[in-house]
Amino acid sequence: MFIDIDDIKESVLSRSYSKTFNDFPVLEEMVNAGECDFISPIDIKLNVKRNINVIEVTGNIETKARIQCGRCVEKYETFIGPAFSLTFVPEEGEDPDGLLDDEIELSTDDMQVVNFSGGMIELKDSVQEQLILAFPVKPLCRESCKGLCSNCGANLNDMKCDCENEYINPQFAALKNLKIDK
Ligand SMILES: [Zn+2]
Ligand SMILES: [Zn+2]
């Protein structure tokens, strides 16, 4: 996912890609570690605009993943579709025109800045990062998920157990599902 900045002419350059998790090392690690599965391709749409040596990239990523509910520890499917804006600026010493300082002040107030070198923008790491940031911090299979009984581990979405203790501690419940390797 490289873009040669010399390919960005006066108008906006549009690119789209369809990737899989194998194309992104950290996503592959997450899948191998059982943290998530990707159940559709990772579709990426980018618009790239060049302002002298400052390159602005706006994009959308869309995919579907299967992740674990933080309460009941069941896997569920969720749509992940972050939109993002990134500003790429040449690495120090790669601004032959010396125009960079003015440009940055104009455009990067609320944008994330990434360095590039050799006249090429590499988008894989940035796309991967944006996708990971879009994963829910507190994944829930549904708003009303009742979680697991902290006493017997029953999934209270499926059944009502006979325990008196109604307090749900998802961390404790999750521990019950851990297998210990010897
Ligand atoms: Zn749940
Ligand atoms: Zn119970």
Side-chain angles (χ1 to χ4, degrees), residues 149 152 161 163:
C149 171
C152 71
C161 67
C163 302

Side-chain angles (χ1 to χ4, degrees), residues 153-182:
N155 185 342
L156 299 173
N157 296 310
D158 300 334
M159 61 191 308
K160 172 122 180 54
C161 67
D162 296 325
C163 302
E164 285 174 22
N165 187 358
E166 290 282 303
Y167 173 67
I168 297 157
N169 182 335
Q171 278 175 322
F172 178 78
L175 283 177
K176 288 198 158 189
N177 286 355
L178 281 181
K179 293 197 180 82
I180 296 163
D181 292 327
K182 287 193 177 158

Side-chain angles (χ1 to χ4, degrees), residues 109-164:
D109 275 357
D110 52 4
M111 289 182 148
Q112 303 173 66
V113 178
V114 186
N115 283 118
F116 70 92
S117 64
M120 298 287 279
I121 290 177
E122 203 280 296
L123 289 155
K124 193 163 87 174
D125 288 350
S126 298
V127 165
Q128 175 172 261
E129 187 183 357
Q130 295 300 321
L131 188 58
I132 291 169
L133 288 173
F135 270 74
V137 179
K138 292 182 178 166
L140 281 182
C141 62
R142 67 199 101 164
E143 269 314 310
S144 61
C145 174
K146 298 192 183 85
L148 301 180
C149 171
S150 62
N151 192 36
C152 71
N155 185 342
L156 299 173
N157 296 310
D158 300 334
M159 61 191 308
K160 172 122 180 54
C161 67
D162 296 325
C163 302
E164 285 174 22

Side-chain angles (χ1 to χ4, degrees), residues 49-97:
K49 228 169 72 184
R50 179 174 180 181
N51 189 349
I52 308 175
N53 283 330
V54 176
I55 317 296
E56 293 188 353
V57 179
T58 55
N60 283 287
I61 308 168
E62 289 190 355
T63 191
K64 260 179 153 178
R66 189 180 287 119
I67 59 177
Q68 192 177 44
C69 175
R71 277 189 202 154
C72 70
V73 305
E74 294 289 324
K75 297 270 172 82
Y76 71 100
E77 292 177 7
T78 190
F79 172 78
I80 299 179
F84 60 91
S85 291
L86 297 169
T87 301
F88 288 80
V89 299
E91 267 177 9
E92 216 175 314
E94 292 206 13
D95 179 29
D97 305 327

